[in-house]
Amino acid sequence: MKVSPKFIIMSIVSIMALPLLAADTDTAGATYEAQKATALANPYANDYGPTSIDVSSYPQEIQETYQKYLQTPNFGCQRCHTAARPLNSQFVEPSGPKEGEAAKVAEWKASHPEWFKEKFVWQIEGRSASGPGVWERYVKKMMAKPGCNISPADGKKIWEFLRYDSTYRKTGANADKWAEHRRKLLADFKVSHPARYRELYETQ
């Protein structure tokens, strides 16, 4: 069988590229492990809360996002840390259309001013003309980290889950329960990691 010169050239190129592809894979893996080690060495109070929550009352699409991106080991939000970090965060970004977020935040400020007095219990920031909301910034920051396997489409789904979950679980009828939970996390973290607590929650 006669083999075309083009096929021979392409085969040689492919063989020569194998070490480079292996090096890229090794580098990505090493970078991911470094990111994970950094996250573990620099904990937040969030990390000591539960790694799962009850989402049975959430819309089906939101439940699917939660299972795929927050409950799958070494994928999505569990790539460099556990799901506890986002699930127990003080971040709150109103769910719903962008044009209604400013009005929602204003409504909360008028009816629940206490939510805006403890920034490490509730950090409420919606999208505005000046920039993205707090969860959108967080997800984009995570996506920019070396070794992250979150695509733009994945990131949007995670962001939508975090907005919905933070509105449902940290405001309204669940606000008092959330505040009790978050304050306990902070108090326990202060005892177990005093230096890190000062760095994160007393020097800002």
Side-chain angles (χ1 to χ4, degrees), residues 69 143 150-158:
Y69 299 102
M143 290 173 63
I150 300 174
S151 70
D154 292 339
K156 183 178 181 182
K157 289 182 178 180
I158 293 169

Side-chain angles (χ1 to χ4, degrees), residues 32 36 67-68 70-76 78-79 149:
Y32 152 64
K36 191 168 186 176
Q67 292 297 338
K68 181 176 181 179
L70 283 93
Q71 296 298 297
T72 303
N74 298 319
F75 181 72
Q78 295 213 58
R79 178 71 169 167
N149 60 0

Side-chain angles (χ1 to χ4, degrees), residues 125-176:
E125 298 178 32
R127 292 174 290 174
S128 67
S130 61
V134 65
W135 275 127
E136 185 175 355
R137 294 200 309 274
Y138 176 87
V139 172
K140 287 180 177 178
K141 180 180 177 182
M142 295 303 101
M143 290 173 63
K145 288 183 177 293
C148 178
N149 60 0
I150 300 174
S151 70
D154 292 339
K156 183 178 181 182
K157 289 182 178 180
I158 293 169
W159 166 64
E160 289 172 344
F161 167 82
L162 293 170
R163 291 172 65 218
Y164 183 91
D165 175 64
S166 65
T167 299
Y168 178 85
R169 233 172 8 102
K170 303 174 188 178
T171 67
N174 294 319
D176 289 344

Side-chain angles (χ1 to χ4, degrees), residues 11-63:
S11 299
I12 293 172
V13 170
S14 298
I15 292 170
M16 291 177 65
L18 287 175
L20 296 176
L21 292 172
D24 285 345
T25 302
D26 291 345
T27 300
T31 301
Y32 152 64
E33 291 297 339
Q35 288 288 329
K36 191 168 186 176
T38 298
L40 292 173
N42 296 277
Y44 289 76
N46 321 14
D47 297 327
Y48 296 90
T51 58
S52 63
I53 58 173
D54 179 10
V55 298
S56 59
S57 64
Y58 289 10
Q60 185 61 36
E61 185 176 356
I62 297 293
Q63 292 186 43

Side-chain angles (χ1 to χ4, degrees), residues 46 58 85-93 108 115 121-124 135 162 164-179 181-182:
N46 321 14
Y58 289 10
R85 185 164 294 187
L87 291 176
N88 299 288
S89 170
Q90 71 270 30
F91 295 162
V92 179
E93 183 177 337
W108 285 346
W115 296 353
V121 176
W122 295 278
Q123 182 178 333
I124 302 174
W135 275 127
L162 293 170
Y164 183 91
D165 175 64
S166 65
T167 299
Y168 178 85
R169 233 172 8 102
K170 303 174 188 178
T171 67
N174 294 319
D176 289 344
K177 183 179 179 180
W178 164 255
H181 166 68
R182 178 66 185 174

